Amino acid sequence: MKAPVRNFVIRDAAGAREAETLVIGGGLRLATTAGGLPELSGATDDVVLSPSGGDDAPAINAALRRHQRIRLAPGKFTLGTRVDVPRGRTLAGSGMRRTVLRVTQTAEPAVRVSAATVPGDPWLSTSCVSLEGMTITLGVTPTSWPGTQDGVVVESSTSWWQLSFRDLYISGFNRHGLSISNSYQVEITRVDVDVTGRDGIALENVQQASLRSVTVVATEDNLIRLSNSARVDCAELYLEDPSDAGILVHSCKEVRLACAELMLARVGIQVEMSERVIVEGLQLSECPTGIRLDDSWSCRVDSCLVSDFSVGAAYLVRGGGYHAISACAADQSTNTSVVQTPHVRVGRTSATAPGAVGVTVTGFRKTNAAVGAPTIEADVADAGGRVVFIQHNLDSARINSGGNFAAL
């Protein structure tokens, strides 16, 4: 047990006083008095900016070049030009809905994490950047849709580490809402993105990233796109209404997608040319194809529910192999007509490509529409080898086996 800290001094606007209980929170500095006692005082490094009524971007950029941490007061700021956040900086609003950055230009990103350096800057040794507590929204009509303007973009000409994006609402941009590349240790927490011309959140060549409590709605491409990345952990997601996939995982390794609710996507989860992807605890509804694994290896799908699917399958595996699908379900009970789509399909990406191998399905439960069952509940005829089903409720008379179906 640690001994309590005693006989230290707290200094605030009311003066100095001694105390025996120490609670340290954000914005505090711990120092030592001339007499050798610990001294706690409020940090004064923050530079606070308020809306000017005109273009606020020049003042924000000037402050970011001179100071490590800039805080934006509550209110509506106007950005007529791009805001550049240099390395080692924090740009913090006063709350997601209290500080609003209204963007009035469409030629450039609203906010760019910039590789530019400031001569003599003591923070050049770090590339840590934090953006938090604000709304960033396009206040004019885009000139094209989709276009070239991101809400927030990380400049790709250099490598970054320790990037933090928290408590943000990003809306209305004609390219990506949040685009990050060539980065290591990325945290995205409590970020909402909607109405974007391409992907809501795009990560490319990112190593070790965490996405938590993220909402993405109404994008022209994918809600979340992960490409050429590794060790990405996504959880507590709400995703709705993309024109393409809910989450696209392309050429990645060690990705976890967990505890998400997703609806109205062409493909709910699309994993392609990736390895060791875990999909668990997802609820997908009104997606023509639920979860699709294409030319991927050693993936695991656990405890997922796909309902109201109509094309492809609830669970579709094409090429690659050594996948495990366990404790998953497919539900068509709310459909008023028979949907002729298998609950599970294992096959190949094209007529000349190899079929998937080494696929095991355990504890699978299907619910057909009340008006009847599809002609085929599971189709494994194009698999590259035997597909093992353990403890399932599929109708054996409605399985297109091709000699590949094996029940244990």
Side-chain angles (χ1 to χ4, degrees), residues 217-353:
V217 176
T219 64
E220 289 298 309
D221 285 345
N222 310 292
L223 295 170
I224 296 176
R225 176 172 59 84
L226 311 176
S227 58
N228 301 300
S229 298
R231 300 190 302 280
V232 180
D233 190 83
C234 307
E236 302 172 26
L237 312 176
Y238 178 80
L239 309 171
E240 182 180 346
D241 196 20
S243 295
D244 207 338
I247 302 178
L248 172 63
V249 181
H250 173 80
S251 195
C252 294
K253 295 181 180 180
E254 298 180 25
V255 173
R256 175 177 173 262
L257 311 174
C259 303
E261 184 176 352
L262 194 158
M263 61 189 302
L264 297 173
R266 184 181 63 83
V267 179
I269 306 295
Q270 182 171 336
V271 179
E272 55 188 34
M273 294 180 285
S274 297
E275 300 177 22
R276 301 188 299 279
V277 176
I278 297 174
V279 181
E280 59 183 357
L282 270 60
Q283 296 187 34
L284 291 78
S285 63
E286 299 181 71
C287 300
T289 298
I291 298 173
R292 189 169 87 189
L293 309 178
D294 283 354
D295 293 324
S296 296
W297 298 88
S298 303
C299 298
R300 195 176 82 221
V301 182
D302 291 340
S303 304
C304 293
L305 170 64
V306 179
S307 58
D308 297 331
F309 52 94
S310 57
V311 179
Y315 302 86
L316 176 60
V317 181
R318 306 192 306 178
Y322 303 106
H323 306 306
I325 300 173
S326 61
C328 290
D331 186 355
Q332 293 281 36
S333 61
T334 61
N335 284 317
T336 57
S337 60
V338 177
V339 178
Q340 297 294 349
T341 301
H343 299 292
V344 179
R345 187 192 298 270
V346 180
R348 61 191 75 214
T349 55
S350 69
T352 58

Side-chain angles (χ1 to χ4, degrees), residues 157-196:
S157 61
T158 188
S159 296
W160 297 89
W161 62 280
Q162 291 187 353
L163 301 178
S164 176
F165 303 90
R166 295 186 178 187
D167 300 299
L168 300 175
Y169 173 54
I170 303 170
S171 176
F173 295 93
N174 62 15
R175 193 167 182 261
H176 306 310
L178 174 59
S179 177
I180 303 172
S181 57
N182 299 337
S183 301
Y184 177 73
Q185 291 186 348
V186 175
E187 177 192 2
I188 302 172
T189 304
R190 296 184 299 277
V191 172
D192 295 354
V193 179
D194 69 15
V195 191
T196 62

Side-chain angles (χ1 to χ4, degrees), residues 103-143:
V103 182
T104 59
Q105 55 88 14
T106 60
E108 299 181 294
V111 178
R112 183 182 69 168
V113 176
S114 172
T117 59
V118 180
D121 188 347
W123 297 97
L124 287 179
S125 60
T126 177
S127 62
C128 307
V129 170
S130 179
L131 189 67
E132 58 191 57
M134 66 188 73
T135 286
I136 305 171
T137 183
L138 190 62
V140 294
T141 302
T143 55

